Amino acid sequence: MLAPPGVALAADAMLEVASPPGAAIGDRVSIAARITVDGSPVPGAVLVLSHEEQFIGERGYVEIDRQVTGPDGIAVFRFVERDPDGDPMRVTYDGPDPEIVAAPVDFQFPVEPGPQQYRSRAGVDIPWLSGWVLVALVVIVWGTIAVAAFQLVRIARFGATGASAPKSEGSSTLATVITVVVVTLGSVIVAVLIRSPQTHANLGSAEGYTRTPVAYVDQPVDYLGPGLDESVVPQASDDVAKGRALFFAKGCAGCHTFDASGGIVGPKLRARNVDDLLRDVRRGPGGMPAYEETALTDDEVGFIASYLRAVRKGGSSGG
Amino acid sequence: MESVRDWRERLIEATTRPIRKTTLAYRLWVGFLLAVIAWGVYAYSLQLRHGLVVTAMRDRISWGLYISSFVFFIGISHAGTLISAILRASHATWRTPVTRMAEFITAVALVCGASFVIIDMGRPDRILNVFWYGRWQSPIMWDVLAVSTYLVASIIYLYLPMVPDLALYRDRLGDEVGRFRSWFYRTTAGDWIGTPSQWTALGKAIAIMMILIIPIAVSVHTVVSWIFGMTLRVGWNTSIFGVLFVAGAIFSGIATLIIVMAVLRRVYHWEEYLQPKHFLYLGYLLAAFAAIMVYLNIAEYLTSGFKLESGEEFAFRQLFLAKFAWLYWFYLFIGMFVPVLLMLFKPTRKIWGVVIAAALVDIAMFVERFLIVVTGLRVPLMPYAPSDYFPSWVEWSIFFGMSAVFSLIITLAVKLFPMFAVWEMTEGYALESVESGFTEDAESRAAALLEGSVG
């Protein structure tokens, strides 16, 4: 079972992956990944599991899960196998320490066909009908507009060489500007079109995007309360900063707005002592969800109370 | 019959009339428009500060007045295409006095229409993401593509036939109109002196754009309809939308052109050039398109209503019997049948009749856009109570503000640009006088034609 398919070394960090030798459709698959620096495990590291996927003619890695390593430097990814092709997979290191550089580990395992209730490929593929047809059409249209605009340059040129007529100082500047604008705009649009499959949020770099986690019908999902995806609460900062991060991460800001000044759904929050706040958080007054200890610990509620006090004193800009 | 030269001189006098004289009423009108715009800007600043919560749009009905206005303004921008390009391509000579105004409406309405998309955004600062992350697989991208292409093409198509007239202004008005306008005419007229090779190049450019702009215009409103038609929603899930939107666009475009013509005719006493026949011909076009719209409505609602697939019944009831019934029947009877009747009977077949028909059509077409957007979103996708939508005062303010921007640009353009295609109209008059057997000195006629712009 433990067959490290790839070991990557970069700087002094090492990323190892253990994957099953094979799986069948519908199996629950576990993939373990360990990160070490100089042989000692790295806890709290974010590891990302992605999966090579084809998307409208483009191949790229689609992120399917990310996990944080435990004290042993190991993170475990669990998912239900749905990909009949057994496409290549990859594990990458994604922070938080920028000093650590670990090359991604690529691996692959065969997938046996099995019963599943949906097909993973949708749509009808008409071979010649692709984005290139649109690109060609746009090039023709904008090229034609450019030809018409260029006539303005010619007109100006004929005028400049014309004989006895009253000379104007306008010359061909405007005509040239128009033609250049047309050619530039047309090129930009064509560039956007050609580049467009690669700008899909699930391909390439995930910078600037926060993805919604995917859940499958038969897969239990822990309720973490409404909150930001993949929130990371800073460990070593002061109570107010922690409270502020929690206020966003646990979804308080969603109803009470960024600086707790109240929105359509949640009212404005006053500075409270911890006990008052704790009572309301656990009880969930006025349609607010009741947060259990598993979703929000007593300590965390204390940090949020600190944040609220700071905001009401004007000690924080809020959002 | 008057000689071509004299006729042309009178035409130049009439065309430059707005530029030479500014009345108090004009200043008051501009002031009024600026006040409305300022109010709209204030409303928009509130929206920027507090977000889209200041509108009446919510999760279930998430498009409203802004998107309706977007569709409406893009629609009236089709005036220029139909009147100018289609009539030019089919050599309809009566078109010449109205083409310039139609082309102006196109360019200005496009700018206003496209702005509504940005106004509808909660985070307008993210507009460039359309270019960074936009993909051609998304109908929103098709809109960006089609509208920007149409905007550039229609500005060029507006500018091209204006070059000889701008040169005329440059030579005739000279410095008497102030330094800015004098510089403006020198720059925009380029080196136009009316040589035969310049006429050839201009003719070529106009011919290219005239043909090209027709499919672009059709594609624009088809694609606008597809932001609805590509969605799996009762009421939007129909292939008729492309045709319905293009027909409706030309329909409301003609109506808007008629209104602008009527206003300018009265204000600047252009009765000689904007004759009853121009209003009547446009009125006939209007009536023909009203008939097409009625036909499309029947075709759409009979085929889906006969079968009443799941969800359709709710859509039908709210449109024909319940909540929106009064708007729908207003649209169909007042907006479609009344204009046809006004054109059908002789006593109303007058300029005032055409203008009333046009006003009804514009209102009805705005109602139609509103109905399409709101009724489509109101059909519940799950068993929840249907929500309601009525635009908030912020939305109304921004809508009227943008309508004032539209009017203001047209108002100011009259002060700067030749609103008649002098050379095309002169050409038309010369041909007419030849056909009517008028035997003026042939040389002077030819000279007037060839001379083009040089006064």
Side-chain angles (χ1 to χ4, degrees), chain A residues 64 79-83 118 213-221:
Chain A
I64 52 180
F79 61 94
V80 178
E81 185 59 63
R82 294 289 185 206
D83 177 24
Y118 64 90
V214 177
Y216 293 99
V217 172
D218 56 351
Q219 196 178 20
V221 178

Side-chain angles (χ1 to χ4, degrees), chain A residues 56 142 155 168 189 195-196 199, chain B residues 132 136-137 145 190-191 198:
Chain A
I56 319 164
W142 279 85
I155 288 171
S168 66
I189 287 178
R195 191 177 152 265
S196 74
T199 53
Chain B
W132 304 147
W136 59 262
Q137 293 89 346
L145 196 66
D191 276 333
Q198 284 187 324

Side-chain angles (χ1 to χ4, degrees), chain A residues 145-166:
Chain A
I145 298 177
V147 169
F150 182 67
Q151 300 305 314
L152 287 167
V153 180
R154 288 184 63 210
I155 288 171
R157 205 180 293 156
F158 291 143
T161 54
S164 57

Side-chain angles (χ1 to χ4, degrees), chain A residues 7-29:
Chain A
V7 172
L9 267 172
D12 44 359
M14 182 158 73
L15 196 54
E16 298 162 285
V17 172
S19 66
I25 293 290
D27 280 359
R28 285 178 185 281
V29 178

Side-chain angles (χ1 to χ4, degrees), chain A residues 56 131 142 144-145 148 151 155-156 158-159 165 168-171 174 182 189 192-193 195-196 199-200 209 264, chain B residues 53 131-137 141 145 148-149 152 156 159 170 186 188 190-193 197-198 205 208-209 212:
Chain A
I56 319 164
W142 279 85
T144 314
I145 298 177
Q151 300 305 314
I155 288 171
F158 291 143
S168 66
E169 46 200 283
S171 78
L174 184 68
V182 166
I189 287 178
V192 168
L193 289 180
R195 191 177 152 265
S196 74
T199 53
H200 189 272
Y209 274 103
I264 299 287
Chain B
V53 75
F131 294 99
W132 304 147
Y133 302 110
R135 297 174 303 112
W136 59 262
Q137 293 89 346
M141 256 328 263
L145 196 66
S148 55
T149 306
V152 169
I156 291 178
Y159 176 56
R170 174 196 65 198
R186 280 200 311 275
T188 50
D191 276 333
W192 180 268
I193 46 175
S197 48
Q198 284 187 324
I208 291 172
M209 291 311 296
L212 186 67

Side-chain angles (χ1 to χ4, degrees), chain A residues 74-113:
Chain A
I74 293 177
V76 181
F77 305 99
R78 294 186 180 85
F79 61 94
V80 178
E81 185 59 63
R82 294 289 185 206
D83 177 24
D85 302 334
D87 286 327
M89 306 189 89
R90 166 179 283 184
V91 172
T92 45
Y93 171 74
D94 190 32
D97 186 351
E99 299 278 300
I100 299 178
V101 182
V105 179
D106 292 323
F107 60 99
Q108 200 169 7
F109 52 86
V111 176
E112 304 259 316

